[in-house]
Structure formats: structure tokens, C-alpha cells
Amino acid sequence: MKTVNLSILRTVGVFAVGGLLVGFIPLSTPGPKNVMNPGDSIQSQPGKLTGYVEILFTEPGNPCIQSQERYLHPGTEVLLQNSDRQPIATGTLGEGTPQPLQAGFSKMTCKFPLVVENIPELHDYIIKLEGGEEFSYSHKQFEQKNWQVELTLFR
């Protein structure tokens, strides 16, 4: 059997039909990170979503303390669901940090870091916070954002 350089498979696909070796060029060429073992399915490839959930309060005060009393707090569960609303991965929020809404404004926001790991590759996703808020994303949107999200809640 002849050895084939795997870097060629990034631009040309090769398979055998009835003993005849057939090649094709796909419309898009995935990089080496997309190479899978033959026994793996596309759904078993883990991913990682990072970013933050920002909460803005209209009343004065420390938004992180206000949030921890009523809405979000460190350890709040973040559920990632498929388009059928079945859970596929979970994560939690980290410690929130107060930040000014914009320079020169007295309003503050609280930003909670977000990490969800071991995400299977699907077409559509729903991010659901423990409080019931939902955010829909497609796989393409996650890729365009480099698997980083910025979610904002207004209270």
C-alpha cells in the first residue's frame, strides 16, 4: 500500500471505487484542525465557547452586587442546547467585575466571564442562562466570532 501525505488531503479528497482511485477538490479546504480519525463522527469533536455575560441595571449602585442578589452570580449555569432544545454542553459564569458603561457615564455594568467546553459541532445552538434568557446562534456565527460571545442583559 502506498503512503499518502495528509497535507494533500486538505485540498484534494481521494477515495477508491471498485479498485479505481478517484480524486476531487472540495469547494472549501478545511485546515489541519478539521482532520478527524476515521471512527469519529463530526458531532464528537469538542469545541470551547468563551466570552462574557454583561448585565446593565437602570438604577444606581454596584451592578455586580445587584445582580448577585437577583439574577446572575458566579457559578450561574449556562446551558448550551441544540435546535431541539436538548442539552449538549454546560458551563458556568465566573466572578463578575463592575465596569463603566462608557467613559463619562455614571452607569455601570457587571461582566461575568463565560466558558462552555466540549461543544459538539452542530448547525444551530441556543445559549440558555439559568434565569431563562435565551440567545440563538448558528455554527457559522460562532466561527465568525472565533467562538467568543458577548451577551447583554438589561434590568
Side-chain angles (χ1 to χ4, degrees):
M1 178 175 221
K2 195 172 195 181
T3 304
V4 177
N5 183 349
L6 286 179
S7 66
I8 293 172
L9 295 177
R10 289 179 54 202
T11 55
V12 177
V14 179
F15 60 94
V17 175
L20 178 64
L21 193 60
V22 179
F24 65 94
I25 299 175
L27 294 176
S28 64
T29 55
K33 68 181 180 183
N34 292 333
V35 174
M36 298 181 344
N37 294 326
D40 291 344
S41 72
I42 197 162
Q43 282 79 15
S44 68
Q45 297 300 307
K48 181 176 181 178
L49 180 67
T50 60
Y52 64 85
V53 176
E54 177 180 44
I55 190 163
L56 169 65
F57 286 92
T58 55
E59 64 244 18
N62 183 325
C64 293
I65 292 173
Q66 292 171 338
S67 178
Q68 289 180 31
E69 292 171 353
R70 296 183 266 173
Y71 300 104
L72 302 175
H73 52 83
T76 295
E77 184 178 78
V78 177
L79 185 62
L80 197 64
Q81 300 174 327
N82 63 18
S83 58
D84 294 329
R85 300 195 179 280
Q86 297 300 312
I88 57 170
T90 58
T92 57
L93 296 181
E95 186 72 34
T97 55
Q99 297 183 353
L101 179 61
Q102 287 182 343
F105 282 89
S106 60
K107 296 285 184 204
M108 299 283 288
T109 68
C110 185
K111 288 189 177 184
F112 293 90
L114 160 72
V115 177
V116 180
E117 297 185 275
N118 300 316
I119 300 171
E121 188 173 329
L122 301 173
H123 189 270
D124 294 302
Y125 302 90
I126 300 169
I127 301 171
K128 185 173 182 178
L129 300 177
E130 203 171 272
E133 295 86 356
E134 294 183 353
F135 304 86
S136 296
Y137 284 89
S138 69
H139 185 267
K140 185 175 181 177
Q141 287 173 313
F142 277 162
E143 283 185 332
Q144 288 171 343
K145 295 176 175 285
N146 294 320
W147 291 85
Q148 296 181 359
V149 293
E150 301 170 2
L151 309 175
T152 304
L153 304 174
F154 298 94
R155 298 285 183 244

